Amino acid sequence: MAHVSHKLKTAFEGALAGGGDPATSPLYVFGPFLRLIVVAGVAQITFGASVWLVVITIAVVSAMYRLVMRWVTDGSGGSGLSEEEFGSWAVKVNAAITFIEYTLTFLVSMAAMVTFIADRLPVLNERMLGIQYRTVVAILLSVLTGWLVNRGPKVAARAFGPATAGVLLLLWSMVVATIVKQGFKLPDFNLLAFSPENFHFTLGGYVRILAVMTGIEVFANLVAAYGGTNEQKSSKAFKSLLIIMGTTAVTMLIVGPAIFDLADPLNEQVSVFTQTMDALLPAPLPLIGTLVGIAVLMSASAAAAQGVQNLALGLTKRRYIPQSFGRQNQYEVADRPVWLQVVIVTFAYLLFGTNEETYLAIYAAGVFILLSMTGWAVTKRLIRQVRSDFRWASAALIAGTILAALLTTAATIIIFEERFLEGAWTFFVFIPMLYAVFSYFRNLLGEPTPEMDYLGQLDAAQLAGFGFGQTAFEESENGERPSPLKWEPAPIEESNWRKDRVAIKRIAVLLDGSSYAAQALPLAELLSKKLGATLYLLSSVKDHTKAFAESFDETSRVRQLYLEKVSKQLKANGIQVELEVRPGFIAEATKAFVEDKQIDMLVISDRGKSESSSWVKGGASKKLMRTVRVPVIIVPTVARDEKRPPAKLKRILVGLDGSIRSENALLYARAIAKAMKSEIVLLTVPAVPETQKYRAAAEVVEKIRTAAELEMQSFLGAVTESLKAEGLKVRPLVTGMQPARTIVFVGEEEDIDMILLTSRGRGGVDLLFTGSVADRVVDQSALPVLLVPTANGNP
């Protein structure tokens, strides 16, 4: 699930790259299955029928994915669903289930791994303070896995890469050992398994081992990782699927009966797979097999964590989750989703334990929801093709895909019926909840730009861990319509900033008597003088209850004297000044003051008496941005022993992204520039990541970037001409790749005196959830930043 710079060459390479998850499933599915039928006393009758039903399901679903691989060669075909074809609901439902499944993959794989460890170290099953030692081990290894994954794909690949090859070798060693020691014996297909008294157990066993299907969709994502023509790529990807799922099916059919004969499913100290290894393999191979099992199960957890990383990147670009959640760390991976996953896993282990059977019901349910959705998506596409271009071969395939869709849908229904109370019910809670979250942020953040929507699909295409094939701008081999991922720039909307005007006649500065807060005064004074505005000095004292009456009165008196002293100095410089000390916490007192006095602009420092940065730590500055509806200038402070440069506004930088929302900053840039005779530098950072991030798609991304730059240059050109027509000195600049970092860098390089940006503040909790480029600029820049809040599109 990491980005790589080379293509896969052979189907075996693909099997090793994408098969870690499905290849691990035989290691843990037999235990719950056998416990059900052995306890019920129907094992001799139902065992073989359940296994054969699973093998048939593997065959049918694999055939269905052969079609998906032929149709979708860009690597985004894992679920068979696309927003372009089915609408945003499909993306939200698919993303919700996928997030749940990746988290459950982590849970089940890590739980199975500590089971393997406990097989050799039974002491881990003991308890201390009511918690099993194996739970502590699972949590520690989960944190370690998250840490390794968050250090980037190279580290993860080195740590977990060889595991899939090891488990394939283990499974085939078990197959050979079984044939040598037990003979070639396939499970019986006893028709009595379908009699009324046994059918329930047959289906129950079937759904308990259906977890062998997990991860099969990864191979549809893998298509783009190969070189060659589309047909060659899809063929290799399907062969990779056959290697893994074929190994799984053979293990079920040959090793399964040996596990049934040799293992005691009621032995809770040792898993049935380990018992069978001990019986079939000569020493020290069973111990080596345990180590291989531990490694591959840990790698499956790591793969699930990487899947969440890439899912977050795709959803961020498509604006279904806030940008801050998909933000990449120094290793160019989104670490926050992984730590969230680790936290969820930790709570699950503490609350419900580390028995993999606890989570298998939900796990299998999610797998088959996705598979059934894929089945119907494939069927719909086939029917559409037949209607437009009737062919008997395609018509015949419809029957097969309908069978696959019916089979997977039936399996989904059976799983929910069989294991509803064992955890499957949680999907009726989690899916609507995540759907609502995705809908909320899409509505809040708006539709993505076409280029970012494209790159959202690009990231989604890399869930299997590989670069994106350079096919987005190519036609299909038979000359049919271009890829649906072809990007077209959208027209830029026209806003009202050209005709609207703002008057800045009342400026308030917040003071608390500290030298840090006072560092906001020079800029507030300069603006008030040049704009002809009244400067209000505001201070708040929070100890205003009866219990602190004496303290409040004394503090208020001291604060009043301080403001009067400052006021006297300002009046001597020709500034019209008013002052007030208000009771209450600073954010609430300021909000009330702004509304009472109809303040047009606030000036504050980034720290006060606490001497710690209130913006970085979410203090008064950030609270103000969530409550007030006027522009706020945040002045970065310097240490007491440093000399602050004099306030000046000769050159101001305005960050624009082409949206109406960002253009609200132009209203204040124009007003300040006219009064101060400032030069305005208009900066746009194209919303396209660096080409290096998508090495396998460098040509495609470069085309997108070129188109985005041309679009932004045209946009800034129009804005520049409008401002120049009003007699202002303006310079457009289109550069950079990462907005916050670029804004800070340009601010330093261009000798900027103040940065103007719009925030996403709408009051309430929105700013907390969404975060913004503005947040990071305030955190990182040494320049004053004017944040213009927008509510319903207006300043």
Side-chain angles (χ1 to χ4, degrees):
M1 296 176 187
H3 303 295
V4 297
S5 58
H6 63 275
K7 295 286 187 180
L8 294 173
K9 296 178 181 178
T10 67
F12 187 68
E13 283 184 359
L16 296 183
D21 193 5
T24 61
S25 54
L27 304 183
Y28 54 76
V29 296
F30 281 105
F33 166 46
L34 288 176
R35 272 190 289 276
L36 170 73
I37 59 177
V38 168
V39 171
V42 296
Q44 293 292 342
I45 299 172
T46 64
F47 175 84
S50 296
V51 171
W52 278 110
L53 284 176
V54 168
V55 171
I56 292 169
T57 304
I58 290 174
V60 171
V61 173
S62 298
M64 176 182 71
Y65 269 110
R66 180 66 182 108
L67 292 174
V68 174
M69 292 172 182
R70 284 175 174 165
W71 290 334
V72 188
T73 58
D74 57 29
S76 61
S79 68
L81 301 173
S82 68
E83 183 168 2
E84 294 70 28
E85 196 168 4
F86 294 95
S88 64
W89 71 267
V91 174
K92 289 182 279 191
V93 170
N94 185 62
I97 299 172
T98 301
F99 176 78
I100 296 169
E101 280 303 287
Y102 280 138
T103 304
L104 287 168
T105 298
F106 197 120
L107 272 167
V108 171
S109 300
M110 192 63 68
M113 186 189 71
V114 294
T115 295
F116 260 61
I117 298 174
D119 286 345
R120 303 304 181 189
L121 297 172
V123 68
L124 294 181
N125 294 313
E126 302 297 325
R127 294 178 180 271
M128 180 183 66
L129 300 177
I131 300 176
Q132 285 185 307
Y133 291 108
R134 60 185 286 162
T135 300
V136 177
V137 171
I139 293 171
L140 292 176
L141 290 176
S142 297
V143 173
L144 174 62
T145 301
W147 180 78
L148 287 170
V149 168
N150 282 335
R151 290 184 66 81
K154 289 184 179 179
V155 171
R158 289 168 185 165
F160 306 114
T164 303
V167 80
L168 285 176
L169 183 60
L170 171 63
L171 293 179
W172 281 106
S173 297
M174 290 288 286
V175 169
V176 172
T178 299
I179 294 174
V180 170
K181 290 195 172 185
Q182 301 285 108
F184 184 80
K185 183 174 67 173
L186 296 176
D188 294 331
F189 192 86
N190 194 330
L191 294 178
L192 289 176
F194 299 94
S195 64
E197 62 270 22
N198 295 321
F199 187 57
H200 176 77
F201 296 104
T202 301
L203 289 181
Y206 170 64
V207 301
R208 278 162 176 76
I209 49 177
L210 273 179
V212 298
M213 298 296 299
T214 185
I216 189 173
E217 78 285 347
V218 164
F219 294 100
N221 297 129
L222 206 65
V223 178
Y226 293 95
T229 65
N230 287 344
E231 180 56 37
Q232 290 171 337
K233 291 190 291 185
S234 65
S235 176
K236 289 177 183 177
F238 183 64
K239 289 175 183 176
S240 297
L241 179 150
L242 291 181
I243 291 171
I244 296 298
M245 300 314 297
T247 298
T248 300
V250 170
T251 302
M252 301 298 293
L253 291 173
I254 294 178
V255 182
I259 294 175
F260 176 70
D261 292 337
L262 300 174
D264 177 10
L266 302 182
N267 181 353
E268 296 183 358
Q269 299 301 310
V270 183
S271 68
V272 296
F273 199 91
T274 296
Q275 292 179 54
T276 308
M277 278 198 303
D278 290 343
L280 291 177
L281 299 178
L285 291 184
L287 180 59
I288 295 173
T290 296
L291 295 176
V292 168
I294 292 169
V296 76
L297 287 164
M298 193 169 180
S299 78
S301 294
Q306 290 177 303
V308 166
Q309 283 178 339
N310 283 281
L311 179 66
L313 289 175
L315 292 176
T316 298
K317 291 186 175 68
R318 288 198 165 205
R319 296 188 179 177
Y320 285 112
I321 59 174
Q323 185 179 9
S324 58
F325 195 67
R327 189 179 303 161
Q328 293 170 284
N329 62 15
Q330 66 190 92
Y331 303 105
E332 296 187 349
V333 294
D335 54 358
R336 293 185 182 184
V338 174
W339 290 127
L340 173 63
Q341 191 178 48
V342 170
V343 169
I344 293 171
V345 166
T346 298
F347 275 106
Y349 288 151
L350 289 173
L351 293 174
F352 308 112
T354 56
N355 187 335
E356 61 270 24
E357 188 173 354
T358 304
Y359 310 103
L360 278 176
I362 320 174
Y363 190 41
V367 169
F368 273 83
I369 292 174
L370 285 175
L371 291 179
S372 60
M373 290 171 68
T374 302
W376 293 115
V378 170
T379 301
K380 178 180 177 181
R381 185 163 186 172
L382 267 178
I383 292 173
R384 188 173 65 246
Q385 283 188 355
V386 168
R387 284 177 176 172
S388 61
D389 182 18
F390 182 84
R391 294 178 184 177
W392 283 109
S394 298
L397 282 175
I398 293 176
T401 58
I402 291 177
L403 174 62
L406 288 173
L407 187 61
T408 51
T409 302
T412 306
I413 295 171
I414 293 169
I415 289 172
F416 273 92
E417 189 275 330
E418 281 281 333
R419 315 202 69 177
F420 185 79
L421 296 179
E422 297 177 37
W425 62 269
T426 55
F427 276 96
F428 292 99
V429 176
F430 293 136
I431 292 178
M433 183 175 67
L434 290 170
Y435 189 96
V437 169
F438 297 146
S439 298
Y440 170 78
F441 284 114
R442 169 57 80 89
N443 292 334
L444 177 69
L445 302 175
E447 296 285 333
T449 60
E451 67 272 21
M452 296 312 292
D453 183 64
Y454 172 83
L455 290 173
Q457 297 174 63
L458 193 92
D459 275 310
Q462 299 185 31
L463 294 181
F466 298 91
F468 187 88
Q470 298 179 17
T471 59
F473 290 87
E474 301 170 3
E475 290 192 349
S476 59
E477 292 178 51
N478 56 9
E480 294 178 357
R481 62 183 181 179
S483 163
L485 294 184
K486 184 175 181 180
W487 175 74
E488 295 287 351
I492 297 178
E493 301 172 272
E494 184 176 353
S495 63
N496 296 322
W497 69 268
R498 291 174 175 83
K499 61 180 183 230
D500 290 345
R501 295 291 184 272
V502 293
I504 306 172
K505 296 301 180 184
R506 300 177 183 85
I507 299 174
V509 60
L510 306 188
L511 302 171
D512 61 8
S514 70
S515 61
Y516 286 111
Q519 291 184 39
L521 270 171
L523 183 57
E525 179 182 358
L526 177 64
L527 285 167
S528 297
K529 180 179 290 188
K530 294 295 184 179
L531 292 167
T534 300
L535 182 58
Y536 291 80
L537 310 180
L538 173 64
S539 192
S540 72
V541 180
K542 60 185 176 183
D543 294 339
H544 57 283
T545 62
K546 292 182 179 179
F548 297 96
E550 185 176 344
S551 173
F552 171 70
D553 291 341
E554 176 61 20
T555 304
S556 297
R557 186 184 68 79
V558 172
R559 201 69 60 82
Q560 182 76 19
L561 291 174
Y562 169 72
L563 293 186
E564 288 175 356
K565 180 181 177 181
V566 174
S567 174
K568 184 176 180 180
Q569 295 172 344
L570 292 170
K571 287 179 179 179
N573 293 333
I575 306 296
Q576 185 177 346
V577 185
E578 293 189 19
L579 59 91
E580 186 169 339
V581 177
R582 287 204 170 196
F585 292 95
I586 185 65
E588 290 78 6
T590 303
K591 180 177 183 294
F593 182 82
V594 166
E595 293 172 353
D596 294 344
K597 300 294 185 180
Q598 296 183 323
I599 298 299
D600 300 311
M601 182 177 289
L602 281 173
V603 184
I604 62 176
S605 64
D606 66 356
R607 73 183 72 196
K609 295 182 80 67
S610 67
E611 299 189 5
S612 63
S613 174
S614 63
W615 182 267
V616 175
K617 296 185 178 179
S621 309
K622 213 158 195 174
K623 290 177 182 176
L624 280 171
M625 285 305 301
R626 296 199 302 272
T627 55
V628 300
R629 303 283 182 146
V630 298
V632 178
I633 300 178
I634 296 125
V635 179
T637 52
V638 297
R640 295 177 186 273
D641 56 352
E642 293 183 29
K643 185 177 181 181
R644 184 173 187 84
K648 60 187 177 72
L649 290 173
K650 292 183 179 179
R651 186 174 290 121
I652 59 179
L653 176 68
V654 183
L656 300 172
D657 62 12
S659 68
I660 292 178
R661 183 190 296 254
S662 71
E663 291 178 18
N664 282 298
L666 291 171
L667 291 164
Y668 292 89
R670 177 174 53 199
I672 293 171
K674 281 188 174 181
M676 306 291 300
K677 301 190 184 312
S678 310
E679 178 187 11
I680 298 176
V681 177
L682 301 175
L683 172 65
T684 292
V685 182
V688 181
E690 57 269 33
T691 305
Q692 187 178 13
K693 178 178 182 293
Y694 297 96
R695 294 185 182 94
E699 182 180 342
V700 175
V701 177
E702 190 58 40
K703 288 181 180 180
I704 296 175
R705 181 169 183 83
T706 300
E709 286 180 347
L710 290 172
E711 182 184 17
M712 289 298 101
Q713 286 168 359
S714 176
F715 159 65
L716 284 190
V719 174
T720 299
E721 291 305 312
S722 296
L723 290 172
K724 283 184 175 180
E726 298 187 43
L728 295 170
K729 185 179 180 181
V730 187
R731 181 158 52 92
L733 185 60
V734 178
T735 188
M737 295 173 183
Q738 297 179 329
R741 186 182 301 176
T742 301
I743 291 170
V744 173
F745 176 78
V746 170
E748 296 172 353
E749 292 294 304
E750 296 288 337
D751 194 23
I752 298 296
D753 299 312
M754 186 166 69
I755 298 170
L756 276 71
L757 301 169
T758 53
S759 75
R760 295 193 183 277
R762 299 186 182 186
V765 297
D766 288 347
L767 183 63
L768 274 177
F769 283 146
T770 61
S772 64
V773 170
D775 286 333
R776 298 196 294 281
V777 171
V778 171
D779 286 347
Q780 299 167 16
S781 179
L783 299 173
V785 180
L786 170 54
L787 297 180
V788 181
T790 55
N792 301 324
N794 299 314

